[in-house]
Amino acid sequence: MKDDREIFTLDSNTVASNPGRVKVMPLVLMRHIHEPIFLLIALLASIAFTIDVSLIWGGIALLIFLAINIFYWRRKKEHFAHGDSNGGIVISENPKLVAVTTNLSIGFGGNYPVVKIIPYKGKGKLNDRIGTVALYQGSDNTTTHWEDFFPVPVEYVNNNKIELKNVLQSYCEESWEILQNRIQQINKPYREGLFKIYSEESNW
């Protein structure tokens, strides 16, 4: 069980069925995701503004961008440590796409299977299996399921082969079979998006 006292940027009322437990490596992340580079530039610019122009206004900007940077990295750490880890399969090479499946149920019962197809910038080839960690979004007190989820390939934040292997080993073979079966229900050519999976067992 995770310690809720360690979580500041995520909803601690929900628990991932398979937490990512992945360590974020900043330099690896910045090679794949450019947001932190812009945040760092803004922080450095605010430092220069404080020194060269205005101690007061620059200091205010510095504190704001420092807080934003700290929050960003804390959220990424919690995303990959506590977010929901699911296996993905490379389903297209031109363009490169990955399919990931999950159940959007928020835990009150019900079965809301979906497949999310996302763009992919990793090293995997067609039909390769990769690990992802997702955050969920869009639930409220009037619904029994999330509206969407946002898986991110683990290799975007960590290039340690042992850790990447451990993530893949956290998925049972049945989960890969379920993903393959659900991919077959999606029309080609594949495109990015969230696709509901309709079956006798689903509550859509």
Side-chain angles (χ1 to χ4, degrees), residues 167-201:
V167 171
L168 288 177
Q169 290 178 341
S170 73
Y171 313 132
C172 65
E173 194 59 35
E174 181 184 6
S175 69
W176 294 113
E177 294 173 1
I178 291 173
L179 175 55
Q180 289 280 15
N181 290 335
R182 291 177 180 175
I183 290 172
Q184 293 176 7
Q185 299 182 48
I186 300 174
N187 295 328
K188 295 181 180 181
Y190 297 123
R191 66 184 189 280
E192 297 176 35
L194 183 74
F195 301 88
K196 297 178 180 179
I197 302 299
Y198 296 92
S199 67
E200 294 182 358
E201 295 79 21

Side-chain angles (χ1 to χ4, degrees), residues 42-155:
L43 178 61
L44 294 176
S46 68
I47 294 174
F49 187 84
T50 302
I51 296 173
D52 297 335
V53 180
S54 172
L55 184 62
I56 296 177
W57 292 108
I60 293 173
L62 173 59
L63 291 175
I64 291 173
F65 285 115
L66 179 61
I68 292 174
N69 273 269
I70 291 173
F71 179 86
Y72 178 88
W73 286 106
R74 181 73 189 194
R75 185 169 178 84
K76 289 301 179 185
K77 176 183 177 181
E78 293 180 358
H79 175 163
F80 287 92
H82 303 294
D84 190 32
S85 185
N86 296 284
I89 293 177
V90 181
I91 58 172
S92 171
E93 287 193 315
N94 188 22
K96 294 193 80 171
L97 300 171
V98 164
V100 186
T101 189
T102 194
N103 178 6
L104 290 181
S105 172
I106 60 175
F108 299 133
N111 186 27
Y112 300 93
V114 293
V115 170
K116 186 70 173 281
I117 297 180
I118 59 173
Y120 178 59
K121 300 180 290 184
K123 297 179 180 180
K125 305 299 182 182
L126 186 64
N127 297 321
D128 279 356
R129 297 174 174 182
I130 68 166
T132 75
V133 180
L135 297 181
Y136 291 65
Q137 178 180 296
S139 173
D140 57 40
N141 293 329
T142 65
T143 64
T144 58
H145 62 84
W146 302 98
E147 292 299 321
D148 205 347
F149 80 119
F150 302 92
V152 179
V154 172
E155 64 193 284

Side-chain angles (χ1 to χ4, degrees), residues 4-19:
D4 291 344
R5 292 173 298 177
E6 297 177 354
I7 299 177
F8 297 101
T9 70
L10 305 180
D11 178 8
S12 61
N13 293 321
T14 58
V15 179
S17 58
N18 182 31

